[in-house]
Amino acid sequence: MNNALRLYLMKKITSSDQSSLRNNRDWHWLWISGSLSCFGSSLLGFSLPLIAYNVTNSTARAGVISSIIGVIVLIFSLPGGAIVDRYSTGKILSMCSILGAISFGSASILIDSHSAFFIIVFIAVIDAVISCLFQPAESAALRNIVSATELPKARSINQARTSAVRLIAAPVGGLLLTLGPVVIILFSAILQLMQAACINQIKTKLNFTRKSCTSGPLFRDIYEGLVLIFKSPFLAGFLIFAALSNFGSSLFLFALNLDLLRRGFSLADIGFLDSAVAMGSLLGAIASSWIVDLLKPGAILAFSSTLTVLCLTISVITESYLLILIFMTLGRLATPAANASIGGFAMTLVSDDMQGRFASSMSFFATLLQPLSPTLGGIILSSYGGVVALSSAIAIMCIGILALLFNPQIWKVGFPNTWQES
């Protein structure tokens, strides 16, 4: 058998083995490990600020925890993907899981000590670093495990998984917190062990290095991605909107959670509120493709912004927990369509060889102010009360919305079938 025929048959066999996700054993294990990772991070992201508040009785210190998570994610968001491209994907996945299991297991023993706040800070830092490495490593492993024809389907399932996991993480976290902080930290360590066991079941070789990405200094590639987005006035204007919008929405949700806690609502109530926000995002994501085809990006943004501000304002002035749940859900319905339309057009402005660095740079600047929101929210909440904190968050979001709506370029963008010409 000649080499060409042998290579052809090997490709056919590989394609046959990986052509169906239902029969792809390695994809199942990778999907489960990614689900555990997403669930664990969402659980800790929800629980740690509340644990810090119970330990210190300080909303400002509770805000510091969320800010630390945001700062670490911000710092590692740019080099995280480049590091994954340079080193063994399989080893990074395993290392993240083992590191998390050891760190969280050790922290669960010390969480009730006099140094509890510093233990919480330690957990927050470790979880943030792990997330910045695990997520791009999982994405790289997905391309190696799933065939090209099944890759879009696999990514769609992963996105639905993320929304679903975040939907249940908050109420589960609220229920576990009623049993004590030790329980939820130890549970996180167990999730990491389960994650490592799933990764160990993957038979496809992931311990490889992509040599094309190992030459030259790492910071050079990162710098090129950062400079890229400022060459376009549209992208620069969009980033102002994204940074202020993310900052304001993060500040609002954090302040609302702590304000409800101070008003006597249970941790389970707060957990269900976060789930309502996730449900709104999930429903909005399902409807986003229909909305993008129906309206131009400028119209979608105007509708989404008006709906969000209106629903958040009602959530501030009402005393009814049920109404807060309803309007927090409604306020998220149009956001995925706005992100899809404006973000999708932004991607058409960038060449294929810069898409990775473009995505990481956009993520960096879009979340640049977000780490400040928990600390600022905690300070305003403790000094001036919930209404001022929540109103301040809405005002910040409105500034970002106005900056983009008064950008004439946004109204020139047509439907998706005209984006390439634009």
Side-chain angles (χ1 to χ4, degrees), residues 154-175:
R155 291 181 62 87
S156 297
I157 295 174
N158 284 353
Q159 291 178 16
R161 170 200 70 187
T162 300
S163 298
V165 165
R166 290 176 177 172
L167 186 64
I168 65 173
V172 171
L175 293 175

Side-chain angles (χ1 to χ4, degrees), residues 14 103 126 163 183 192 229 239 358 367:
T14 302
S103 301
I126 294 297
S163 298
V183 175
Q192 293 290 330
I229 58 177
L239 280 179
F358 163 72
T367 58

